[in-house]
Amino acid sequence: MLIAAVLLTALGTSVLSGIFGMAGGLVLIGVLLVLLPVPQAMALHAVTQIASNGWRALLWRRHICWRPVLAISAGGLVALGGWSLVLLVPDRGVALLMLGASPFLVRALPARWQPDPLRPAHGVATGAAGMSLMVMTGVSGPLLDRVFLGRRLDRREIVATKAAVQALSHTLKLVYFGALVTNPGSVAPWLAAGAVLAAMLGTMLAKRVLEAMTDAQYRRWADRIIAAIGCFYIGQGTWLLLA
């Protein structure tokens, strides 16, 4: 039952991410944090998201904007170097609480402080902040969602560029939780293979849905989904900390 739950969640969340380029990883890590110890949840999530985002980036490669990919990845590498000196493994309740709060962090900033991913300095800062969220919550997608949704990119460019960024970011997370921390997480090869196949299948199923949507529909539903998921995890994380 546990294996079936993990694989079905990987498939469903890849469809969600394939349509919106976001939210799927946010759901998947929440489920894995409930089912598995934190290091194992982070490692399996990283493997699944590398496959899902890497395949999505390949499918939409003509729409990738490479300047933000390089800048955000550089910021992530710098942050990984800093976190490797600390080797923090977050508590499950803290991870879920921060996971829920993360979609609202950028929205709370004044408009003049909103980062622009097309500016290299902003991209580096976004990458460093995103890697820190990776360590604390397992995902940086909610931060990147707000950064990309607020700028002058169409839905295909957002999905493609964010997929390329996330594939690299989750590779760094796998290095952190799979090799650097004390008692690193490990993933059975057959489970990793199943999750990868489910992620790739979900990504392919979602492609036609994204093509049929308008930019206005995409942005409207992306905002609603992210807010709903964020509120759920805030409640769940608070409950675990108070229990």
Side-chain angles (χ1 to χ4, degrees):
M1 291 296 292
L2 176 63
I3 295 167
V6 169
L7 295 180
L8 287 174
T9 302
L11 175 62
T13 54
S14 292
V15 172
L16 183 61
S17 286
I19 297 171
F20 294 102
M22 57 192 71
L26 189 62
V27 174
L28 180 60
I29 188 59
V31 173
L32 294 179
L33 283 172
V34 172
L35 297 177
L36 301 170
V38 173
Q40 281 75 20
M42 295 291 192
L44 181 56
H45 184 261
V47 170
T48 305
Q49 293 300 290
I50 290 168
S52 177
N53 284 284
W55 187 239
R56 193 178 312 123
L58 182 62
L59 290 176
W60 295 100
R61 58 189 178 278
R62 293 187 295 108
H63 300 279
I64 295 175
C65 300
W66 286 104
R67 180 180 295 179
V69 172
L70 296 175
I72 293 172
S73 299
L77 281 170
V78 171
L80 179 66
W83 282 108
S84 67
L85 302 176
V86 180
L87 298 180
L88 172 72
V89 176
D91 175 79
R92 181 181 280 107
V94 172
L96 285 169
L97 182 61
M98 293 192 66
L99 186 63
S102 58
F104 304 103
L105 293 177
V106 175
R107 177 178 283 185
L109 292 173
R112 64 181 181 277
W113 292 356
Q114 293 283 331
D116 183 348
L118 299 180
R119 297 178 63 180
H122 290 199
V124 171
T126 298
M131 191 64 224
S132 298
L133 278 176
M134 281 280 193
V135 171
M136 292 300 298
T137 71
V139 297
S140 62
L143 173 64
L144 296 177
D145 297 341
R146 293 301 177 199
V147 171
F148 280 108
L149 282 173
R151 297 302 160 187
R152 55 187 184 278
L153 301 175
D154 68 26
R155 66 190 186 283
R156 296 180 185 86
E157 290 172 330
I158 292 172
V159 169
T161 304
K162 186 170 173 285
V165 169
Q166 290 284 75
L168 294 171
S169 297
H170 283 290
T171 300
L172 297 181
K173 185 181 75 175
L174 183 60
V175 171
Y176 184 85
F177 284 102
L180 295 180
V181 300
T182 305
N183 300 319
S186 59
V187 181
W190 56 268
L191 180 57
V196 166
L197 290 175
M200 294 174 68
L201 176 60
T203 299
M204 290 188 290
L205 291 175
K207 190 172 186 290
R208 289 190 176 183
V209 180
L210 178 62
E211 289 176 331
M213 295 180 74
T214 66
D215 283 344
Q217 290 172 326
Y218 169 84
R219 291 176 183 274
R220 181 170 62 251
W221 281 104
D223 274 334
R224 291 174 179 175
I225 291 170
I226 294 164
I229 294 171
C231 290
F232 174 79
Y233 284 142
I234 288 173
Q236 189 178 21
T238 301
W239 182 81
L240 284 174
L241 291 174
L242 295 178

